[in-house]
Amino acid sequence: MHLEDWINAAASYAAVLTVYPDDKKAHGTASYLYHERLFAFPRAFVLNQQWLERNPADVVVQSDFAEKHFTTGRFSECEQRIALLLANPAVGQSIQVALQAIRIANSLALGKTDLVQGRIETMVEGITSQSE
């Protein structure tokens, strides 16, 4: 990581998961590297899928997985996942705002432009209702 050798760092963290499949730090780091540094969206998708098979109640990874659906072009599934997460009271406000932003982009990808303005307004209301 300190050498910024993202390919080998991601592969190393992914290798840790083969031995310790419930290592949350290894999962989070590998997923981050594949998605945000290497733009290996399908690989990040598989990592999240495997994590959620073992840890289905992890709402943080569920929200990341919704984003992975978007970045891999699974727009209909992304919409369904985001709707479920936004209805879940266990999902924190900051995650909700991020999901709402992804939902707006996903609406555009689905050609549902008529939904965009209302979703922007909902997101803005959520942001303005937060404490400082």
Side-chain angles (χ1 to χ4, degrees), residues 20-81:
Y20 303 105
D22 291 318
D23 187 318
K24 189 164 181 88
K25 182 180 179 188
H27 170 266
T29 305
S31 180
Y32 169 81
L33 290 171
Y34 281 120
H35 197 264
E36 304 298 328
R37 293 290 181 171
L38 300 172
F39 307 109
F41 300 136
R43 181 65 180 125
F45 181 92
V46 169
L47 279 175
N48 279 37
Q49 187 175 46
Q50 291 170 340
W51 180 265
L52 288 172
E53 287 171 3
R54 298 180 60 83
N55 305 280
D58 189 331
V59 293
V60 173
V61 177
Q62 286 178 26
S63 66
D64 287 344
F65 198 41
E67 179 183 9
K68 306 297 189 287
H69 277 75
F70 178 75
T71 57
T72 57
R74 295 171 170 94
F75 303 124
S76 295
E77 296 91 343
C78 178
E79 177 65 28
Q80 293 168 359
R81 288 181 174 278

